[in-house]
Amino acid sequence: MVLAESYSLNEHHGAVLPSPGMGHIIPLLEFAKRLVVHHGFRVSFVNITTEASTAQTDLLHSTSLPSGLHVVDLPPTDVSSLVNDEMLIVHRIGVIVEESLKCLDTVLIQLGKPKALIIDVFCTQGFDVGKQLSIPVYSFFTPSAAFCAFTLYHPTMDREVEGEFIDLPEPVKVPGCSPVRTEDLLDQIRNRKNDEYRYYFGHVRRLCEASGIFLNTWEDLEPVPLKAIRENPFYQKILTPPVYPIRPLIKEHEEVTKVDAKYLAWLDQQPEDSVLFIVPGSGGTMTAAQVIEFAWGLELSQQRFIWVVRKPSDASASATFFNVGGDVNDPKAYLPENFVERTRGRGVVVRSWASQVAFLRHRVTGGFLSHCGWNSSLESMTYGVPIIAWPLYAEQRANATMLAEEIGVAVKPVRGDGDTVFGREEIERVVRLLMEGEEGKVIRSKAKKLQESAAKALDSGGCSYESLSRVVKRWKDLSAPI
Ligand code: UDP
């Protein structure tokens, strides 16, 4: 184990514990950086190394971390007899986390007991260790405030609903919030009899044990769920801890590889708002048949694009979760014949991983075809880029609905009844609609307005900054834990 150094008891020292996966590591790392740079904390970033993807390892061992932020690598554990490739993703994460965190108490003691422990939603073993060591434990909830409200309501549903949630005759009425359609329910709760549900629910049901919940959102983006969580009697009755929306916390700095620099130079040559950027999230994949249809639709649309491609998988929509970034696939093996040659000059195919924020913030990026993970959604809104919603896994279907139907910055492609893929005509239609249609103009103008709102929330005098400052002050005022 790499224990960077231990801290004396009078230092302002916090520990941040993310669960595996870039969608968790990235926002918690940004949070840790803010604690160091803006609030004078020293932070131990406790890294679960077992089965970490190349992208995760590269990110955490880059040289650009501020001094005062130390990555503490937990020793890899041998989980080979406990996990396999057929396991559903949260089940596998659950096992890895369980095994990796057996030494958490020892590590925190060796580090000199932090003043606060901030944990990811899938690392709730942290609550037990916090209790044992008298360290207050906060939750950093990586999805939206709307999904936080849903999660707080989930134990009630689990108690009251018989059978499967997806068979409910009506949308789920989350107190004080927009109802959630059963087709938008996340994968992890579609079968309550499997191990994935057991692991998933085992973690999320503990959310109220936190001393406070940090939310990666801002007041003007999600006023309804934030008001509900704070004021609706349901959340008071279940003793919901205080929630702190801490503004859109997205990557401030991103290492740009040589390959990405080449593509960014290509972007420099293109007209404003003319390029569609396509990324399937941190671990997402399409089926082989969908990749073919998608490529044809994109080509037919005649629009400029940058497409991050991954080897297709018919077995899982999140097939690259544990190995993203290390994928040395050859796109020619699964794209339509001569696709790359035919679209040369108009489109670029990037393998596996790209510096997403660097591409999104470029003035020529005029659309983002995204799986609607919450971080990607925030990044897109922060840079005012309208979205084609292509949810793949987790709570992304609900995010897509919120972005398209409530916030109005996204459009959803439509799949014919009984179809297993979106056809090329539909892809062509939706790409043209966003990039050159009248409807696209309306969506783009909403996205640009939202960008202003995000910028206001990012202003360091904003209320999000204040709410984090208040919590940090409380930690600083704590006498050293006993
Ligand atoms: N990301 C990236 N390059 C890629 C794919 C993803 O930098 O090629 C980053 C993206 O910017 C975001 C994170 O990975 O910060 C993905 O998080 P999100 O919550 O959107 O999706 P998930 O992790 O659930 O797939």
Side-chain angles (χ1 to χ4, degrees):
M1 174 189 338
V2 181
L3 280 186
E5 55 193 86
S6 66
Y7 302 110
S8 68
L9 289 177
N10 55 8
E11 247 182 314
H12 300 315
H13 168 218
V16 172
L17 173 62
S19 69
M22 291 300 270
H24 297 258
I25 300 281
I26 290 171
L28 271 92
L29 185 64
E30 290 304 318
F31 180 72
K33 285 185 193 168
R34 304 302 194 282
L35 285 179
V36 171
V37 175
H38 298 164
H39 300 281
F41 252 68
R42 295 176 68 81
V43 174
S44 300
F45 194 79
V46 182
N47 177 33
I48 294 176
T49 55
T50 305
E51 300 214 335
S53 66
T54 308
Q56 177 176 327
T57 308
D58 288 352
L59 174 70
L60 290 181
H61 296 96
S62 71
T63 47
S64 61
L65 298 179
S67 69
L69 173 53
H70 298 283
V71 175
V72 178
D73 282 334
L74 293 179
T77 52
D78 181 7
V79 291
S80 54
S81 61
L82 303 172
V83 303
N84 59 61
D85 287 345
E86 276 69 56
M87 271 167 106
L88 294 172
I89 196 146
V90 171
H91 183 193
R92 188 158 168 169
I93 292 174
V95 172
I96 291 169
V97 168
E98 202 165 64
E99 293 302 306
S100 300
L101 294 189
K102 285 185 174 158
C103 60
L104 183 63
D105 51 350
T106 316
V107 170
L108 293 182
I109 291 169
Q110 283 175 358
L111 286 168
K113 282 211 254 177
K115 293 204 166 187
L117 172 63
I118 300 95
I119 62 170
D120 190 280
V121 73
F122 294 140
C123 290
T124 54
Q125 289 85 348
F127 288 130
D128 306 319
V129 173
K131 207 181 252 173
Q132 183 194 329
L133 302 180
S134 306
I135 300 170
V137 181
Y138 288 71
S139 174
F140 187 110
F141 192 82
T142 50
S144 65
F147 190 68
C148 180
F150 179 89
T151 303
L152 291 164
Y153 179 57
H154 184 169
T156 307
M157 271 169 73
D158 186 77
R159 242 187 349 265
E160 293 179 354
V161 173
E162 279 178 24
E164 295 295 348
F165 302 138
I166 46 164
D167 295 330
L168 285 168
E170 289 188 344
V172 177
K173 292 194 186 73
V174 181
C177 300
S178 305
V180 180
R181 292 196 288 254
T182 51
E183 64 264 31
D184 286 344
L185 291 176
L186 68 160
D187 304 324
Q188 283 71 27
I189 68 168
R190 292 175 157 248
N191 178 355
R192 292 164 76 187
K193 292 183 206 76
N194 70 15
D195 282 328
E196 177 162 67
Y197 182 79
R198 193 164 57 77
Y199 270 89
Y200 177 82
F201 186 57
H203 284 297
V204 296
R205 67 206 285 266
R206 301 188 66 180
L207 192 52
C208 283
E209 290 178 42
S211 301
I213 303 172
F214 295 111
L215 287 169
N216 199 359
T217 193
W218 71 99
E219 301 281 348
D220 290 345
L221 181 69
E222 298 195 82
V224 174
L226 285 171
K227 186 172 177 353
I229 297 172
R230 288 175 179 138
E231 296 174 17
N232 185 293
F234 169 79
Y235 302 95
Q236 289 172 1
K237 199 168 120 213
I238 61 165
L239 305 179
T240 301
V243 291
Y244 306 101
I246 47 170
R247 69 206 181 145
L249 201 56
I250 65 165
K251 279 174 274 184
E252 261 183 355
H253 171 82
E254 205 174 31
E255 303 274 323
V256 173
T257 61
K258 267 197 192 139
V259 178
D260 283 351
K262 195 174 84 190
Y263 299 139
L264 286 165
W266 178 78
L267 280 185
D268 290 342
Q269 310 304 315
Q270 310 307 318
E272 189 150 339
D273 284 340
S274 71
V275 177
L276 179 68
F277 182 40
I278 304 154
V279 187
S282 66
T285 42
M286 294 182 190
T287 63
Q290 184 62 81
V291 169
I292 298 282
E293 283 305 300
F294 188 84
W296 278 114
L298 195 55
E299 186 176 343
L300 289 167
S301 78
Q302 300 278 306
Q303 303 300 308
R304 294 181 180 81
F305 65 87
I306 291 206
W307 181 10
V308 175
V309 291
R310 306 209 177 112
K311 191 165 165 245
S313 165
D314 291 350
S316 162
S318 53
T320 55
F321 189 90
F322 291 105
N323 61 20
V324 75
D327 178 6
V328 280
N329 70 87
D330 177 7
K332 287 192 174 165
Y334 50 82
L335 291 176
E337 206 178 333
N338 295 330
F339 171 82
V340 174
E341 290 74 12
R342 285 197 305 275
T343 54
R344 185 159 292 140
R346 187 157 39 79
V348 170
V349 165
V350 182
R351 287 182 201 196
S352 191
W353 189 263
S355 314
Q356 182 165 302
V357 166
F359 287 92
L360 267 180
R361 77 202 309 178
H362 198 290
R363 73 183 166 81
V364 310
T365 304
F368 184 33
L369 191 142
S370 171
H371 73 317
C372 301
W374 189 241
N375 296 293
S376 297
S377 306
L378 290 172
E379 288 161 6
S380 205
M381 290 187 272
T382 301
Y383 291 107
V385 182
I387 297 169
I388 295 175
W390 192 284
L392 290 169
Y393 51 91
E395 89 296 0
Q396 293 154 12
R397 281 181 294 268
N399 294 345
T401 296
M402 187 212 288
L403 294 167
E405 297 172 20
E406 291 179 27
I407 304 177
V409 292
V411 57
K412 281 181 178 182
V414 182
R415 191 160 32 195
D417 273 350
D419 288 353
T420 50
V421 294
F422 293 99
R424 60 191 72 179
E425 298 79 13
E426 176 58 9
I427 290 154
E428 177 191 357
R429 182 191 74 81
V430 84
V431 170
R432 282 187 187 275
L433 179 151
L434 188 77
M435 300 306 290
E436 57 178 23
E438 285 308 307
E439 208 178 314
K441 280 191 194 134
V442 174
I443 300 175
R444 177 160 302 110
S445 112
K446 279 196 188 153
K448 302 271 182 210
K449 281 216 181 83
L450 200 58
Q451 179 179 18
E452 288 166 24
S453 160
K456 232 163 79 193
L458 279 167
D459 172 12
S460 64
C463 47
S464 303
Y465 178 84
E466 290 303 320
S467 78
L468 180 56
S469 297
R470 270 200 306 276
V471 185
V472 171
K473 180 166 185 318
R474 216 171 305 141
W475 295 343
K476 286 182 175 170
D477 291 346
L478 284 175
S479 55
I482 9 153

